[in-house]
Amino acid sequence: MQTRKLGDTLEVSALGLGCMGMTSVYGPASDKQAMIKLIRDAYDHGVTLFDTAEAYGPFANEELVGEALLPVRDKVVIATKFGFDIDQGTGMRGGGTNSRPEHINKGAQGQPCPG
């Protein structure tokens, strides 16, 4: 697998795996174990860049990707998008974005954030 350098130090596979559709964005969620296998198979074939977002689920996709890559976490890069207006305690969508530092920090840490 060819690689690409992002910035000064981050090197990832030239081919990444977008995981959005695995957890109901385009229809019903796919079978969890089948998606974990797909993600791990991608890694076994040289993919080291995986893309997700807190909005996919919400949160379900990040959890799926995290679980699938836990055994190789130090060998991959997980890119996630954040800043959506989603209550991190309930998952309720507010519409739009929420770029308050406390919201982003809690989301990046995987911790509930007070509305």
Side-chain angles (χ1 to χ4, degrees), residues 7 16 29 33 48 60 79 94 107 109:
Q33 291 308 312
T48 61
Q109 295 171 20

Side-chain angles (χ1 to χ4, degrees), residues 92-107:
M92 295 296 296
R93 296 173 189 265
T97 59
N98 182 343
S99 297
R100 292 184 325 226
E102 63 273 12
H103 181 80
I104 291 172
N105 286 335
K106 292 290 185 181

Side-chain angles (χ1 to χ4, degrees), residues 4-84:
R4 300 285 187 269
K5 199 163 187 181
L6 304 178
D8 292 332
T9 59
L10 193 60
E11 190 167 327
V12 297
S13 57
L15 179 65
L17 179 63
C19 301
M20 179 173 69
M22 297 178 181
T23 52
S24 74
V25 174
Y26 292 121
S30 298
D31 177 74
K32 180 179 178 181
Q33 291 308 312
M35 294 301 97
I36 288 173
K37 182 179 182 331
L38 185 144
I39 292 168
R40 290 182 179 169
D41 285 350
Y43 171 77
D44 289 343
H45 285 89
V47 175
T48 61
L49 176 62
F50 298 84
D51 180 72
T52 183
E54 67 180 5
Y56 308 157
F59 315 121
N61 200 263
E62 289 177 318
E63 291 169 3
L64 171 73
V65 171
E67 181 178 340
L69 294 173
L70 186 61
V72 293
R73 181 60 189 103
D74 61 334
K75 298 175 182 161
V76 299
V77 172
I78 300 172
T80 189
K81 293 162 293 295
F82 58 88
F84 301 94

